[in-house]
Amino acid sequence: MPACKSFLIFVLLFALALSMFPLEDCGADSGEAALAIKQAEDIMISCYPIVLKAESAGGNVSGLLARLNEAGVLLTQAHALYRLEDFDRAACFAELCSQIGGEVRVEAHELTRLAVKQATERLMWAMIRSILSITIIVSASFVSWRIFKLRYCQQISEMKPEVDSGES
């Protein structure tokens, strides 16, 4: 029973806190709502090429695409509310869409920068491994040639020349 009382107290305090902070009222008319929706559409349109650039750079854009999907749902709701002449909520949904679109743009730029940096590092390490491999192969070839030359010279010097007695 004490757990139930503490839960009930928590719920009441939470409800009291929510009632102290009313939901944001955008207070928009038809023109402001239409402008907010147009801006949200423009932001959404500008996000897709940026996300595509991040993907082509090698970044994992699945999270960004999920966020863009959320923003698309908000934009759809804003359009529906605008058609129902609920301009305040339509403007609020459009502004939320714009905020998410702006965040996606920033994250996509950061993801592109990170992907390019990682690709550069991979290329650098591949070059270092290649140069090191070539150096090892050339050095081993040179050492092998020197050993072969030394042994060949020793074999030549140990050979006794045949002397021809001059008698035919």
Side-chain angles (χ1 to χ4, degrees):
M1 193 70 172
C4 185
K5 282 185 180 180
S6 62
F7 178 72
L8 185 58
I9 292 172
F10 173 75
V11 169
L12 288 174
L13 287 175
F14 186 71
L16 181 65
L18 283 179
S19 67
M20 295 175 79
F21 301 105
L23 294 175
E24 181 181 335
D25 184 21
C26 296
D29 64 1
S30 172
E32 292 171 348
L35 181 63
I37 290 173
K38 177 66 176 143
Q39 288 174 346
E41 287 174 346
D42 292 342
I43 288 173
M44 289 291 292
I45 290 170
S46 71
C47 283
Y48 284 102
I50 296 170
V51 171
L52 182 63
K53 182 179 175 185
E55 184 181 30
S56 66
N60 182 5
V61 297
S62 59
L64 296 178
L65 292 175
R67 296 289 309 269
L68 279 176
N69 191 31
E70 291 173 26
V73 168
L74 290 172
L75 186 59
T76 302
Q77 290 174 345
H79 276 288
L81 289 169
Y82 185 82
R83 281 191 296 275
L84 294 173
E85 296 183 1
D86 189 355
F87 303 123
D88 289 342
R89 289 181 58 204
C92 286
F93 277 101
E95 288 174 9
L96 285 173
C97 176
S98 296
Q99 287 175 356
I100 291 174
E103 292 169 3
V104 165
R105 265 198 284 189
V106 169
E107 291 175 21
H109 283 300
E110 183 64 26
L111 190 61
T112 303
R113 188 191 62 76
L114 181 65
V116 168
K117 179 182 175 189
Q118 288 175 346
T120 303
E121 287 175 358
R122 283 193 306 270
L123 179 64
M124 182 186 70
W125 283 111
M127 288 175 41
I128 289 172
R129 286 192 303 266
S130 297
I131 291 171
L132 186 62
S133 298
I134 290 171
T135 303
I136 289 171
I137 290 170
V138 168
S139 298
S141 298
F142 180 73
V143 168
S144 298
W145 176 75
R146 294 286 292 182
I147 290 172
F148 174 77
K149 182 180 171 184
L150 182 65
R151 286 187 181 173
Y152 182 74
C153 288
Q154 285 176 350
Q155 284 179 353
I156 295 281
S157 64
E158 289 176 1
M159 290 175 59
K160 294 184 181 178
E162 289 183 25
V163 177
D164 198 14
S165 61
E167 295 176 15
S168 308

